[in-house]
Amino acid sequence: MNSNQSDMITWGMIIRKLPSIARALPRVLKGMKAANVEKPDQACGLGWTFEQATQRNPDGAALLYGNQRLTYTQVNQWANRITHYLQQQGLGKGDVVAIFIENRPELLVAVLAVAKLGGICAMLNTAQTQGVLAHSLNLVKPAAIVVGGELVAAYSAVRPQLAIDAQRTWFVADQQTFVDPGEAPEGYINLISASADSPSSNPPSTQQIYLDDPCFYIYTSGTTGLPKAGIFKHGRWMRTSASFGTIALNMQPEDVVYCTLPLYHATGLCVCWGSAIVGASGFAIRRKFSASRFWDDVRQFNATTLGYVGELCRYLIDQPPSARDRDNPVLKMIGNGLRPGVWAEFKQRFGVGHICELYAASDGNIGFTNVLNFNNTIGFSLASWALVEYAHDTGEPIRNSAGFMQKVAKGGQGLLLAKIDDKAPLDGYTEPEKNRKVTLCDVFEKGDRYFNTGDLLRDIGFGHAQFVDRLGDTYRWKGENVSTTEVENIFLQHPHIAEAVAYGVQVHNTNGRAGMAAITPAESLATLDFRDLLQFAREQMPAYAVPLFLRVKVKMETTGTFKYQKTRLKEEAFDPAKTGDDPIYAWLPGSDTYVQVTEQTVLDIQSGKFRY
């Protein structure tokens, strides 16, 4: 999110917000009390919060999907039956259950059931296939898995590489009705049928889950090229749901959150669903985002609240204007990545009063929220944080002669560090080595510890910040973090590629960075079949990770320490006028091959002729 000096928050702006601040104080205090679970033996977490919501709003809508409406009582009892069944099968607290289902109620009910058990849900990215999927599963050693009918083929392809017992491989049919559980394929057990006769009462295990117990493994891109599993504990669930649902959104039983974001991500699963649960509100979901159907769904579900990422908002803005644009019940929205150029236009066109832009990392210990409804800011954080100077070539924080790090001046941009303490613990990753890499010690004084977010922020005054950019070997495209090393490793499996360097480049009027790869042929340019190359990439990578641009280089330039010169590659991007003799190829929307880029192609892309 780019910004300038005019975005600084002033005393005048704060004074104008005083009535809003006064109205927000009661819910801020209520949210802080709910979020700060201090007793290590106090029952808390996802299952406990859902049971509280069921008591508060038993007949209110909990899940809405298509024409289906499930009340809090129905969802709670459904999850309870599955929990009791899983216990009968020998699963218990601390066991890992992989969840591999696309956005639909069965995913959330399965997650809730495992949470009540005290198990840990490994939230698999439904776009993963082949080696990446096998890695994600083997990384967390699941005791069981629940597979949606729509993903049986993807799972079956990697099943021989796994050690999950067939008696704990459960199937959930892909269907539009919850009456008929469907029939499981050979080698799978139908979870809905098997658990149908189990008790529907709340299991005692829900009361034995505490703040330090893990709830989810949520995958993030790894610098080694393969996903890392971040630990998300029940105590953090309490902080997240209360911070966003109570403090930021003031969710109530009459509210409905509409979410088309993938539920294997923390934004959809924890921020959006968590906000709905803490308010005993409705949660409406859709399998896949549809720009043309979006507002019809909003009206159908009577949604008061939207979950978003910046790209989703841009797609909605790109839709032809309609007389019904403001004919919707939406009052507020929560998400991240909304560009300043879209912010004001979105609020005006669709009549949305409050944009709760947030910043949070599923593997971190800090979150920012735009509680006071300023424009173009991620808001403020109750946790302790600092922006420090960093080395532009490596992205590493800089220490002074005394060995400590230096904070940037107000208005400047710097690397975000979040203090690790009892109020903001770091749940971290399943691999201890990953935790050591992101933990900084003796930052401002001896003995302190900070989480290195790897992100650039700008302090705009009064505790508020703006997101600037993401450092390191990942970039964000279509709402997903893409590991450059993962892309490189897959390309290097192609027999006609000798070297590959992946990076993100900016495309006009899009959010994040589009994928680009510089490749060196194993023999010559003539040996590269670009249709075959694209097909290979699409088969081996999630759709969002497939590079849109290729640069063919005879020889890769490296630094004195044998590192690829990514900074220059990013700057030159896909403009043939800057890349010299290196031909550039693009995968244009609607095509099935990479085509060579000309100056006219660049003009067409940047003018918006092609829609990404």
Side-chain angles (χ1 to χ4, degrees), residues 118-387:
I120 308 167
C121 290
M123 304 304 300
L124 294 168
N125 184 326
T126 56
Q128 289 183 352
T129 59
Q130 303 297 329
V132 179
L133 176 59
H135 164 84
S136 295
L137 283 160
N138 285 323
L139 182 64
V140 298
K141 299 178 174 57
I145 187 169
V146 183
V147 182
E150 66 278 16
L151 295 170
V152 165
Y155 177 69
S156 296
V158 301
R159 194 170 179 178
Q161 303 173 49
L162 310 172
I164 302 176
D165 194 314
Q167 295 302 309
R168 290 180 172 179
T169 301
W170 288 293
F171 166 86
V172 177
D174 182 12
Q175 55 197 14
Q176 295 300 311
T177 175
F178 307 117
V179 177
D180 179 10
E183 185 174 339
E186 186 177 353
Y188 294 80
I189 296 172
N190 191 309
L191 180 62
I192 308 304
S193 297
S195 61
D197 296 327
S198 296
S200 61
S201 56
N202 288 335
S205 55
T206 308
Q207 300 297 319
Q208 298 162 8
I209 295 166
Y210 311 118
L211 65 95
D212 207 37
D213 291 328
C215 184
F216 309 119
Y217 290 147
I218 295 179
Y219 294 89
T220 63
S221 297
T223 54
T224 60
L226 291 168
K228 299 178 291 186
I231 303 170
F232 200 106
K233 295 182 179 180
H234 283 273
R236 189 173 174 200
W237 166 271
M238 299 298 290
R239 295 192 297 275
T240 299
S241 59
S243 297
F244 297 122
T246 301
I247 296 175
L249 296 172
N250 193 27
M251 297 298 292
Q252 299 296 325
E254 59 268 22
D255 283 312
V256 174
V257 179
Y258 178 49
C259 178
T260 62
L261 307 177
L263 295 172
Y264 52 76
H265 272 181
T267 303
L269 183 68
C270 304
V271 174
C272 294
W273 192 32
S275 294
I277 295 172
V278 82
S281 313
F283 190 55
I285 60 175
R286 185 181 179 89
R287 182 75 67 94
K288 304 285 186 181
F289 166 72
S290 168
S292 62
R293 286 285 308 165
F294 189 88
W295 294 109
D296 289 336
D297 285 350
V298 166
R299 288 183 280 266
Q300 174 189 334
F301 296 130
N302 198 31
T304 62
T305 311
L306 302 180
Y308 73 88
V309 291
E311 196 77 358
L312 179 153
C313 296
R314 186 180 69 82
Y315 286 144
L316 295 175
I317 285 288
D318 285 347
Q319 289 292 294
S322 165
R324 300 195 69 192
D325 280 344
R326 293 175 69 92
D327 176 20
N328 67 75
V330 175
L331 303 172
K332 49 204 172 183
M333 50 196 281
I334 190 163
N336 61 81
L338 188 60
R339 293 185 294 115
V342 173
W343 195 298
E345 183 181 358
F346 195 94
K347 290 180 81 170
Q348 172 61 30
R349 177 171 166 181
F350 300 111
V352 179
H354 188 179
I355 295 180
C356 286
E357 175 84 359
L358 65 88
Y359 168 91
S362 58
D363 52 350
N365 67 331
I366 189 169
F368 289 74
T369 317
N370 186 24
V371 175
L372 300 180
N373 198 23
F374 286 115
N375 287 336
N376 305 327
T377 173
I378 58 175
F380 66 90
S381 176
L382 296 174
S384 179
W385 57 278
L387 303 182

Side-chain angles (χ1 to χ4, degrees), residues 475 484 487-488 491 501-505 513-518 545-552 569-570 572-575 579 583-585:
Y475 57 89
T484 57
V487 174
E488 290 161 2
F491 264 139
V501 180
Y503 45 98
V505 295
R513 294 177 182 270
M516 184 166 182
V546 177
L548 300 189
F549 303 98
L550 297 179
R551 177 174 180 172
V552 181
L569 292 171
K570 292 177 184 177
E572 295 173 348
F574 52 89
D575 187 352
T579 57
I584 305 297
Y585 295 82

Side-chain angles (χ1 to χ4, degrees), residues 388-401 403-407 415 417 440 443-444:
V388 301
E389 302 284 356
Y390 68 98
H392 290 261
D393 55 343
T394 65
E396 294 297 317
I398 298 172
R399 294 184 183 267
N400 60 21
S401 57
F404 299 116
M405 297 177 192
Q406 298 295 298
K407 296 180 181 179
L415 177 63
L417 307 182
L440 300 173
V443 174
F444 300 115

Side-chain angles (χ1 to χ4, degrees), residues 443-484:
V443 174
F444 300 115
E445 59 184 29
K446 289 292 184 181
D448 64 8
R449 297 168 66 240
Y450 280 77
F451 170 67
N452 182 0
T453 67
D455 290 330
L456 292 181
L457 266 62
R458 178 168 171 260
D459 184 348
I460 60 174
F462 292 93
H464 283 63
Q466 288 176 326
F467 180 79
V468 177
D469 206 351
R470 190 174 298 272
L471 296 177
D473 280 337
T474 63
Y475 57 89
R476 195 165 179 83
W477 181 245
K478 302 298 183 185
E480 300 275 357
N481 290 336
V482 182
S483 164
T484 57

Side-chain angles (χ1 to χ4, degrees), residues 513-555:
R513 294 177 182 270
M516 184 166 182
I519 58 174
T520 297
E523 297 178 18
S524 67
L525 174 61
T527 63
L528 294 179
D529 181 333
F530 287 94
R531 189 180 305 275
D532 171 75
L533 198 54
L534 177 58
Q535 182 179 347
F536 172 84
R538 295 178 72 178
E539 289 175 351
Q540 299 296 321
M541 306 177 200
Y544 59 80
V546 177
L548 300 189
F549 303 98
L550 297 179
R551 177 174 180 172
V552 181
K553 297 184 67 65
V554 174
K555 185 179 186 303

